[in-house]
DNA sequence: AGCTCCATGTAATCGGTTACATGATTAG
DNA sequence: CTAATCATGTAACCGATTACATGGAGCT
């Protein structure tokens, strides 16, 4: 039930409508959680009914009105409680790996195109993350930076470390996909 | 619906009972897919009803009898078809990242214990993977190995490259968790 | 005339998790 | 005597995916 918590975090960072949340889930929050608008609207309703969120109808000109959600005190409490509970380390779900092992019973070479597609997709994601890092965090720490003006705020630092995780994940994945491609080519050539 | 395909791959590698599959999902297949025995039994029944699997009752002494499943021709065809369909690159779901961003609205230092727990869990998994690599694939390629006897079989190679993916993932995760810990400590100290 | 963006929803289905249930054998 | 291993299942629930649905504003 971490979607609730992801929504609480996002709304604490900035209140917004269901639509806006859906867009955030396509961008920054998408580094670590995904959700579609259908899911989000349903959960927002439930959370509002439970008193964890406040809503405010915002009339707009030229656009449909929207409902702006923000975190109410019980929502903040719920998040805080969850933060203090231990959670299980993630288990992975990786379809592509199933395919790779399955290729032993089919034509391994036929997978090359697919793996190349994934490589391109992850490459794009990495570029997108790096652009975001440059935009929001003034790039990777230059070692020779003189006198940064005091400690940066905790929220920024924490967002940045999560983004660095996304970047590390994409880089690792790209390197692994290179390894997979080399293996598939070797199997094709050795045959 | 990749659980079906993971089961097909596993049963092609070696036929077995639901119980045995559940154990494999805790081990090697667990690198890229997880499933509990309840799930597995349900899916096995469905796949057998659909004619994708064959069953054989195997009486045993000293233990309960078991049902050994193996892949029937239509199952092999279904797998083959799936292998030729493109799939979407995975989207990540990472609770811990939600917590890290959420920590900005609570006490960041309180997360240190939790992150350390995750670090230990991933460290254990890495050790387990590395042991498996040594056992099943005679360790990482030694550069000075003279004359390996002909091309190794495709199945082995493909299982190995998937395992290398698991290893790379755990190493990347450990490095990131170090980064997270350093960040949390910095925030605690700078305060 | 057609497409995209903004904005919100309902309904059906399916996959996954959690809890409950049974029962024999073997090792500590 | 207790716990773990082998072996198989049912039932309830919940979260996620997919399809369907509406409707105005603004751009090309």
């Amino acid at each position: 039930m971490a979607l609730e918590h992801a929504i609480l975090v996002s709304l604490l960072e900035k209140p917004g409508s269901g639509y806006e949340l859906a867009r955030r889930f396509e961008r920054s929050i998408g580094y670590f959680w995904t959700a579609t608008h259908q899911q989000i609207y349903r959960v927002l309703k439930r959370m509002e009914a439970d008193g964890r969120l406040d809503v405010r109808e915002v009339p707009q000109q030229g656009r449909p009105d929207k409902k702006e959600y923000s975190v109410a005190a019980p929502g903040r409490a719920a998040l805080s409680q969850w933060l203090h509970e231990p959670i299980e380390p993630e288990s992975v779900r990786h379809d592509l790996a199933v395919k790779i092992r399955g290729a032993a019973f089919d034509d391994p070479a036929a997978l090359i195109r697919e793996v190349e597609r994934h490589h391109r997709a992850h490459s794009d994601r990495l570029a997108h993350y790096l652009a975001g890092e440059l935009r929001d965090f003034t790039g990777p720490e230059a070692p020779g930076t003189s006198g940064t003006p005091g400690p940066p705020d905790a929220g920024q630092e924490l967002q940045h470390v999560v983004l660095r995780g996304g970047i590390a994940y994409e880089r690792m994945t790209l390197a692994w996909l290179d390894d997979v491609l080399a293996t598939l080519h070797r199997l094709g050539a050795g045959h």
Side-chain angles (χ1 to χ4, degrees), chain A:
Chain A
M1 204 183 285
L3 175 56
E4 274 197 30
H5 302 116
I7 287 175
L8 287 170
V9 170
S10 189
L11 289 179
L12 279 168
E13 286 173 358
K14 194 168 194 292
S17 67
Y19 186 83
E20 280 159 0
L21 279 171
R23 305 217 62 213
R24 289 185 211 171
F25 274 91
E26 282 168 11
R27 296 159 167 277
S28 71
I29 311 175
Y31 308 154
F32 53 86
W33 207 265
T34 51
T36 58
H37 78 274
Q38 292 91 335
Q39 241 185 108
I40 291 166
Y41 283 121
R42 205 159 10 97
V43 173
L44 283 174
K45 273 210 167 156
R46 191 180 65 215
M47 289 173 80
E48 194 219 325
D50 294 350
R52 283 191 246 263
L53 297 181
D54 291 325
V55 209
R56 199 168 58 96
E57 285 269 348
V58 179
Q60 300 186 118
Q61 71 275 48
R63 307 174 174 195
D65 298 352
K66 66 174 180 179
K67 297 182 187 167
E68 197 182 70
Y69 290 90
S70 53
V71 178
R76 224 187 150 107
L79 180 67
S80 179
Q81 203 208 312
W82 178 69
L83 287 173
H84 289 270
E85 282 164 13
I87 52 173
E88 283 305 301
E90 308 292 302
S91 38
V92 199
R93 291 267 159 100
H94 207 11
D95 292 72
L96 192 60
V98 181
K99 278 200 170 190
I100 292 166
R101 268 172 83 151
F105 307 98
D106 204 82
D107 178 21
L111 253 187
I112 290 175
R113 288 295 180 85
E114 173 83 338
V115 175
E116 283 170 347
R117 271 188 53 243
H118 284 249
H119 196 283
R120 258 175 274 128
H122 284 282
S123 202
D124 289 351
R125 258 193 231 169
L126 175 59
H128 177 242
Y129 289 178
L130 288 172
E133 190 182 36
L134 252 167
R135 184 177 13 87
D136 300 335
F137 306 104
T138 58
E141 262 83 311
T145 308
S146 56
T148 33
D153 101 306
Q156 283 271 111
E157 279 287 309
L158 292 169
Q159 285 186 33
H160 193 185
V161 80
V162 168
L163 177 54
R164 287 200 298 273
I167 290 168
Y169 177 79
E170 297 304 330
R171 287 205 167 118
M172 181 277 301
T173 301
L174 286 170
W176 178 61
L177 291 175
D178 285 335
D179 186 8
V180 171
L181 281 171
T183 304
L184 291 173
H185 280 125
R186 213 182 316 129
L187 289 172
H191 169 69

